[in-house]
Amino acid sequence: MRSSPLTRALCFQVRGQDGMAATATAKDQDNEGDQFDVLDLAEYAKRQRWWNRFFGRNSGPIAEKYTVATQLMIGGASGWCAGFLFQKVGKLAATAVGGGFFLLQVANHTGYITVDWKRVERDVNKAKKQLKIGKNKVTSEVHGAFDEVTVFVKKNIVLTGGFVGGFLIGLAS
């Protein structure tokens, strides 16, 4: 029985010795001794998680997907953007806090407001004591987040290096 070119180009799923699924194409009917399972693409798509469909099957570390130059460029560009924004927001915050203290002093000296400096000093000392008591207490959430960041940095060291370099350049620009 002769098969048409359409049936010879059917896609099959093969399970190897390691249990991983791979696809193979039946080119000739001479391969009758081989074991092939038909891959139903509709069912396969239904079983896939949305992030596998969006990002691809290998959504692991970036080091496995992109070249070193690409990783450095992505890390550097995102680092520069973050550093530049950090610089602008930092200047704005420093200006707002400094301007607030300046206006507070001007209002105090001109008599618009009266500040009870003894009470301010007492409240600051109380806050210092509370900070000293709680400084050795680190929650498990902080440890968990730190561990996640450490794992990410170790898996994507080139991307992280590019980000740090770009961040420093963004701060300087």
Side-chain angles (χ1 to χ4, degrees):
M1 181 172 155
R2 191 94 180 146
S3 62
S4 69
L6 179 64
T7 58
R8 278 187 258 145
L10 286 176
C11 198
F12 296 101
Q13 182 177 18
V14 180
R15 296 226 179 251
Q17 293 176 347
D18 57 356
M20 296 294 291
T23 57
T25 304
K27 295 190 178 169
D28 294 321
Q29 288 289 40
D30 299 335
N31 299 337
E32 293 176 9
D34 295 338
Q35 290 285 337
F36 292 107
D37 296 326
V38 176
L39 176 63
D40 185 7
L41 293 178
E43 284 298 317
Y44 179 74
K46 287 179 188 175
R47 285 184 276 138
Q48 293 300 310
R49 295 185 177 103
W50 68 269
W51 57 82
N52 284 348
R53 287 193 304 260
F54 187 72
F55 295 114
R57 186 174 176 103
N58 183 12
S59 59
I62 292 174
E64 297 174 359
K65 291 193 261 181
Y66 298 107
T67 64
V68 173
T70 305
Q71 291 179 55
L72 282 173
M73 287 175 43
I74 291 171
S78 60
W80 181 84
C81 291
F84 188 76
L85 289 175
F86 187 79
Q87 174 198 27
K88 296 300 180 187
V89 170
K91 283 182 181 179
L92 181 66
T95 302
V97 170
F101 283 133
F102 177 73
L103 290 176
L104 181 67
Q105 287 296 326
V106 168
N108 185 29
H109 284 294
T110 57
Y112 285 109
I113 61 170
T114 306
V115 179
D116 185 6
W117 291 109
K118 299 271 187 207
R119 185 172 178 188
V120 170
E121 185 178 354
R122 186 175 61 237
D123 289 344
V124 168
N125 288 333
K126 184 191 238 183
K128 281 183 186 178
K129 287 179 185 175
Q130 287 178 350
L131 287 174
K132 285 182 183 178
I133 291 171
K135 77 174 183 180
N136 292 330
K137 297 179 184 176
V138 179
T139 62
S140 61
E141 296 165 353
V142 173
H143 283 297
F146 182 74
D147 292 341
E148 287 180 23
V149 169
T150 304
V151 168
F152 178 81
V153 168
K154 285 180 181 178
K155 285 185 178 180
N156 302 300
I157 192 72
V158 176
L159 179 78
T160 307
F163 181 85
V164 169
F167 186 82
L168 294 175
I169 292 170
L171 278 179
S173 62

